[in-house]
Amino acid sequence: MGVSVGREVLDSSIRVANDVASGDSFKQSLNRNASNSYNSLVNRAIGKLGQTGGRRPKRRTTRRVKKKKTVRKSAGRKKAAPRKKVTRVTPNICLFDTPPSQVAFSKGKWMTFSPSNPIEPKGPYTFNVFDSAHFFQLNKTYLTFKAHLSSVKKKDEGGTKTAVPISHTNFIGATFFNQVKLSYNNVLVYDSSHYAYKAYIQTLLGESDEMKEGFLSAARWSNDEDSLGAVLVDKRRLQEDGTNGLDICTPLFLEPFQTDKLLIPHINIQLTLYRNNDAFCLESTEADAPAKIFISDLKLHMRAIDVVPSATIALENRLRTTPAQYPFKNLKMKVITIPPGRTELPFNVLYQDILPRRVIVGLIDPEAMEGSFTKNALNFAHHDVSEIQLDAGGTVYPPQPIQCDFVNKNYAQAFARLYEELGALSEKSCPRITYKMFRNGYAFYVFNLTAMDNPNSWELIQSGTTQLYIRFNKKTPDGGLNACVLSEYDGMITIDAFRNTTYVDVNLASYMLMMGRLENLSPARIQDLNQSLKSLNIVQSWNACNGCPIGLGAELSLDATPRSHHFINNVIPKPPARRRSVSTKRYFEEKYQVRLNYPNSPLLRDTTGSMYPLEIVWLRIRIY
């Protein structure tokens, strides 16, 4: 119908145009043609209705049937389930949801402990935590105490005596202590030697600037980059004020305490702290003992958590089959003495056992490290290092030595590796050491030995020798230098249902065989093996033939072997009329019927002078 109307309008328009061209009036022609067009359309409509009977004819449609594709199903393959559409709702519209509730912990509280021994000026200070009901959150452990000055030296200025200005060492809350020992149920599980340097380096390179200037200011941390060379710092000035002292609160920088896991109950914790000397803790312009420092009101604060009984019972049942595991990053500190007048330190053996994850090297004055009122004990100067390199298990880090020229201020590679090897670039954390500060007391050389530095994963254990090489532009000063080497390892403490820490028993000869041959060793090689023995966490050693204990201070003899060492014996066989000399090898063969497979290996000499073959010595080593 629409098509017919359109055609009729077009024809009518053409007729009107022709009439106007012939001289007719436009109005008359329009009225006439409009009437004719209307009548024509009506007649057409009536004709259509007559043909269809008043109904619109249906349009024929052909239905197409899709052919199904035949797919051969393979044997054993199932049809994949259709993917369900996941609907997501933004949290802004979730008006009826609440956060999940924790039901494992019933209560948390702070517990304060006092030392079990009197607080003497020279220490040590011992804490015994005897608790049988609480879980302890070890990473929330703090020490509080007050620092005082006594016997302050006074000098005469214009007829009046004034006290010598004295300041404490930076981060005195941690650097006041030199060594910290931790024991569980009277078993030593951790011994932190050089605690002051470990805590300082760990905080300087690992904590953020907000943490150091905020929370750690209670432990008297101060950024002294602008006045590091000066002896006195006004904000660290101490006064002899009688009863009032410098109030200090500091966390414990023990690696086993740097964990989020709760320590299981029924464990007696023993903590022993040994302090540094006065010359290490104080700084002044006077070299002759200007004052003494001591502490009072020493307290230990620990966070105790009460766990609901059902969860406690479930944990105890699991402990019967699986020990509790507390992984942590174990830090070892080793000090290497560099003699005076040397221009290089050849590859010096650091360790001969497990390769570390990361090694941090810093040089310091030996006098300042021992304690000097006029020297900063935390000043890691560059000492004109020109080259430094590390060899770990036959792989050199880096392949070419790190080049430094501090005289001309060219040490960009060492400075950049400080940030890169610490992971500061990937973790977006900054130790806030500028290019200028690096050469003015913050010269740390960092070597990362891991393939992928991921703090949340462990590295595969690799054994080998770790060596350090250093070269200097100038000869080392009088008195020499100390190279402080801080190494990082993967460690773990495990505690079973009986609250025993896990250890392993190994034969000394079997352990030594992992490092090479045992017989016909040179004195230098034996000294290296002795250093390796000292680095082990040996709990106990004994003679396997009779079960008698051997002192922990035993070491390998440089010249005595089971075949060459003889002594006077009256026991084997039956004593003859006169005394006779017998070798160690024959003694054990005749008395204990033990045949020694390594007669030319060094003997183990204890502190009393007794000799033991390596094959009959057993060690109990604690595994971290």
Side-chain angles (χ1 to χ4, degrees):
M1 187 66 183
V3 176
S4 300
V5 173
R7 289 179 179 177
E8 188 63 33
V9 171
L10 181 60
D11 294 340
S12 178
S13 300
I14 294 173
R15 288 194 297 270
V16 170
N18 293 331
D19 292 342
V20 172
S22 301
D24 294 343
S25 172
F26 174 76
K27 185 176 181 180
Q28 294 178 356
S29 177
L30 181 61
N31 292 333
R32 183 174 60 253
N33 287 288
S35 178
N36 295 335
S37 298
Y38 174 76
N39 294 330
S40 177
L41 290 174
V42 172
N43 293 331
R44 288 182 184 180
I46 294 173
K48 288 285 185 182
L49 291 175
Q51 294 176 2
T52 60
R55 296 180 181 178
R56 184 178 180 181
K58 293 184 178 181
R59 184 179 179 182
R60 290 186 178 182
T61 58
T62 57
R63 186 176 182 182
R64 295 181 180 180
V65 180
K66 294 183 178 180
K67 295 183 179 180
K68 295 183 179 180
K69 296 182 179 180
T70 59
V71 180
R72 180 178 296 176
K73 295 183 179 180
S74 59
R77 180 179 295 179
K78 295 182 179 180
K79 185 178 180 180
R83 181 178 296 179
K84 295 182 179 180
K85 187 177 181 180
V86 180
T87 58
R88 299 182 182 274
V89 181
T90 60
N92 299 335
I93 201 64
C94 297
L95 307 180
F96 308 101
D97 296 339
T98 58
S101 301
Q102 67 85 16
V103 294
F105 310 125
S106 59
K107 184 174 61 175
K109 61 181 179 180
W110 286 98
M111 301 183 68
T112 302
F113 303 93
S114 300
S116 58
N117 62 330
I119 303 178
E120 300 291 341
K122 294 184 179 180
Y125 316 101
T126 303
F127 292 93
N128 290 297
V129 180
F130 299 106
D131 190 87
S132 60
H134 300 289
F135 289 77
F136 282 108
Q137 195 172 358
L138 297 179
N139 59 353
K140 293 186 178 296
T141 304
Y142 304 97
L143 286 175
T144 58
F145 59 90
K146 291 185 178 181
H148 306 266
L149 283 181
S150 65
S151 305
V152 178
K153 185 178 180 180
K154 296 183 179 181
K155 59 181 179 180
D156 191 359
E157 293 182 355
T160 59
K161 292 186 177 181
T162 58
V164 176
I166 299 172
S167 63
H168 62 76
T169 306
N170 191 12
F171 205 28
I172 189 62
T175 55
F176 181 80
F177 303 101
N178 179 46
Q179 185 179 11
V180 180
K181 293 183 178 181
L182 175 65
S183 299
Y184 289 161
N185 293 333
N186 297 324
V187 177
L188 182 66
V189 297
Y190 189 76
D191 186 358
S192 176
S193 58
H194 302 287
Y195 174 81
Y197 285 102
K198 291 170 67 174
Y200 174 75
I201 297 175
Q202 182 181 358
T203 304
L204 176 67
L205 303 181
E207 297 293 344
S208 63
D209 193 48
E210 291 78 7
M211 174 67 73
K212 288 183 284 190
E213 292 184 351
F215 172 69
L216 292 180
S217 61
R220 305 304 170 176
W221 176 278
S222 61
N223 294 319
D224 299 339
E225 63 271 15
D226 297 330
S227 57
L228 183 63
V231 176
L232 300 181
V233 181
D234 291 337
K235 56 186 175 183
R236 294 198 273 115
R237 188 73 58 84
L238 287 175
Q239 301 291 337
E240 187 178 18
D241 52 3
T243 58
N244 295 327
L246 185 66
D247 199 11
I248 295 173
C249 178
T250 177
L252 268 180
F253 293 91
L254 294 179
E255 290 86 288
F257 280 16
Q258 309 301 319
T259 177
D260 295 331
K261 295 186 177 182
L262 300 180
L263 182 66
I264 59 178
H266 308 290
I267 292 181
N268 297 329
I269 305 173
Q270 185 177 18
L271 198 65
T272 306
L273 301 98
Y274 302 85
R275 59 158 295 178
N276 276 308
N277 54 37
D278 296 329
F280 186 94
C281 300
L282 299 177
E283 300 174 7
S284 176
T285 55
E286 300 290 335
D288 299 332
K292 295 181 180 180
I293 185 172
F294 65 96
I295 63 174
S296 64
D297 298 335
L298 180 62
K299 303 291 182 182
L300 176 67
H301 306 272
M302 301 185 71
R303 181 72 174 175
I305 306 295
D306 290 341
V307 180
V308 296
S310 58
T312 304
I313 295 174
L315 289 173
E316 291 294 337
N317 292 334
R318 181 65 184 274
L319 283 174
R320 295 177 181 177
T321 57
T322 306
Q325 300 177 355
Y326 298 91
F328 63 94
K329 291 294 183 291
N330 188 15
L331 299 179
K332 292 184 179 180
M333 186 82 174
K334 186 172 184 179
V335 179
I336 300 176
T337 301
I338 304 176
R342 300 285 295 272
T343 57
E344 69 173 357
L345 175 69
F347 276 107
N348 190 285
V349 177
L350 300 177
Y351 312 103
Q352 284 188 325
D353 44 13
I354 301 175
L355 299 182
R357 291 174 56 101
R358 183 183 286 111
V359 176
I360 302 175
V361 181
L363 301 177
I364 198 167
D365 189 348
E367 184 180 356
M369 193 171 185
E370 291 294 330
S372 175
F373 287 103
T374 58
K375 293 185 178 181
N376 187 356
L378 304 177
N379 184 14
F380 289 87
H382 57 80
H383 294 287
D384 293 308
V385 172
S386 61
E387 293 182 1
I388 186 169
Q389 198 174 32
L390 191 74
D391 184 352
T395 304
V396 182
Y397 299 88
Q400 298 296 329
I402 300 176
Q403 304 286 339
C404 299
D405 185 3
F406 289 95
V407 176
N408 298 319
K409 302 179 181 180
N410 296 325
Y411 47 90
Q413 182 184 1
F415 177 75
R417 289 181 66 89
L418 169 67
Y419 281 81
E420 181 63 43
E421 301 295 85
L422 286 174
L425 300 181
S426 59
E427 297 177 5
K428 307 298 182 182
S429 61
C430 179
R432 197 188 175 186
I433 296 178
T434 63
Y435 194 79
K436 179 181 178 181
M437 291 169 58
F438 187 83
R439 71 173 184 272
N440 292 329
Y442 296 91
F444 292 98
Y445 309 93
V446 186
F447 303 91
N448 190 354
L449 311 184
T450 60
M452 292 292 293
D453 188 15
N454 186 1
N456 298 322
S457 63
W458 278 7
E459 291 292 320
L460 295 177
I461 296 178
Q462 301 181 19
S463 300
T465 302
T466 306
Q467 304 178 80
L468 178 65
Y469 168 77
I470 305 177
R471 177 174 289 180
F472 303 92
N473 274 328
K474 300 179 182 179
K475 292 184 178 181
T476 54
D478 296 338
L481 293 173
N482 281 347
C484 298
V485 182
L486 184 64
S487 304
E488 179 183 330
Y489 296 85
D490 293 323
M492 183 173 64
I493 294 177
T494 59
I495 304 175
D496 58 16
F498 300 100
R499 288 359 183 218
N500 296 323
T501 55
T502 305
Y503 49 81
V504 62
D505 296 339
V506 296
N507 180 261
L508 181 56
S510 300
Y511 177 79
M512 291 295 181
L513 281 174
M514 294 189 298
M515 303 180 187
R517 59 187 179 90
L518 287 180
E519 295 188 304
N520 302 319
L521 301 179
S522 63
R525 175 59 178 167
I526 295 176
Q527 290 178 352
D528 293 340
L529 293 177
N530 282 329
Q531 293 295 329
S532 178
L533 279 178
K534 292 180 180 179
S535 64
L536 295 177
N537 298 308
I538 301 176
V539 179
Q540 184 182 0
S541 61
W542 65 92
N543 183 352
C545 294
N546 53 20
C548 294
I550 302 175
L552 296 181
E555 61 180 11
L556 300 180
S557 174
L558 296 178
D559 54 358
T561 64
R563 176 171 291 172
S564 64
H565 180 68
H566 292 72
F567 60 95
I568 302 299
N569 183 267
N570 291 325
V571 178
I572 54 139
K574 293 182 180 180
R578 66 179 187 276
R579 293 184 176 182
R580 64 185 179 88
S581 176
V582 62
S583 66
T584 305
K585 177 177 179 295
R586 184 178 178 184
Y587 174 84
F588 280 90
E589 288 177 351
E590 295 183 4
K591 183 174 183 179
Y592 299 108
Q593 289 76 44
V594 175
R595 181 180 178 181
L596 301 180
N597 297 320
Y598 305 100
N600 296 318
S601 61
L603 292 172
L604 185 72
R605 178 189 285 113
D606 64 4
T607 54
T608 63
S610 301
M611 297 286 193
Y612 304 91
L614 303 183
E615 299 170 65
I616 59 96
V617 177
W618 280 79
L619 306 176
R620 178 162 292 176
I621 303 175
R622 183 174 296 107
I623 301 177
Y624 287 111

